[in-house]
Amino acid sequence: MFVFRLDTHSGVPPYLQLVQQVRQAVLLGFLQPGDRLPLIREVVEELAINPNTVAKAYRQMEQENLVTGRPGQGTFVDEQQSAAMSASTYTSLHRGLATWLRRAYAASLDEQAVNALFASVHQQTRNEGVA
């Protein structure tokens, strides 16, 4: 079963963290269409957060067509328009990115500089029409 986690130091509202985690899990293939998310009460108990926060995240995911709530059954991942990446693609990209991050940290870049560099290259690449 999928397990949520919260980073209290990220500055990102908890409900958005939950939404982002489901988006990423679907994209990376960790969550498949038809998989059930934890019940709201399970998330509340696990993370010790307000039920309204979890409900807000689930509503947001429904509005984005990531999930569908089924009364009495739970909340399930929707069929996605775009397929999740293959395991081999994930592994290859993960290794490449991990290597890049190790080089960046070895060059004494801090997290903020790494994020800025990544965002800059990402934007430039998108503008070139490659992404």
Side-chain angles (χ1 to χ4, degrees), residues 5-127:
R5 62 198 180 290
L6 289 180
D7 180 356
T8 57
H9 303 293
S10 73
V12 176
Y15 86 95
L16 280 180
Q17 290 185 46
L18 301 180
V19 173
Q20 289 170 349
Q21 288 172 41
V22 170
R23 270 193 216 121
Q24 290 172 351
V26 168
L27 176 66
L28 297 175
F30 299 136
L31 280 174
Q32 299 292 320
D35 285 351
R36 184 176 72 80
L37 295 183
L39 299 173
I40 290 175
R41 68 173 166 72
E42 294 171 339
V43 178
V44 167
E45 290 171 8
E46 181 71 26
L47 299 178
I49 61 173
N50 189 305
N52 293 329
T53 300
V54 182
K56 182 175 182 178
Y58 279 37
R59 279 192 308 274
Q60 172 95 20
M61 288 185 273
E62 283 192 56
Q63 290 172 350
E64 293 180 16
N65 297 317
L66 282 171
V67 300
T68 299
R70 298 181 197 154
Q73 295 179 331
T75 303
F76 296 83
V77 176
D78 278 348
E79 295 292 328
Q80 299 299 311
Q81 298 288 342
S82 59
M85 73 175 73
S86 70
S88 62
T89 299
Y90 171 81
T91 299
S92 174
L93 292 173
H94 185 276
R95 285 182 184 153
L97 186 55
T99 298
W100 180 85
L101 283 169
R102 282 191 288 277
R103 288 180 54 211
Y105 289 129
S108 299
L109 274 67
D110 63 9
E111 185 174 352
Q112 189 174 21
V114 166
N115 289 335
L117 179 58
F118 180 86
S120 173
V121 172
H122 178 254
Q123 187 62 47
Q124 179 182 6
T125 304
R126 287 188 67 183
N127 290 341

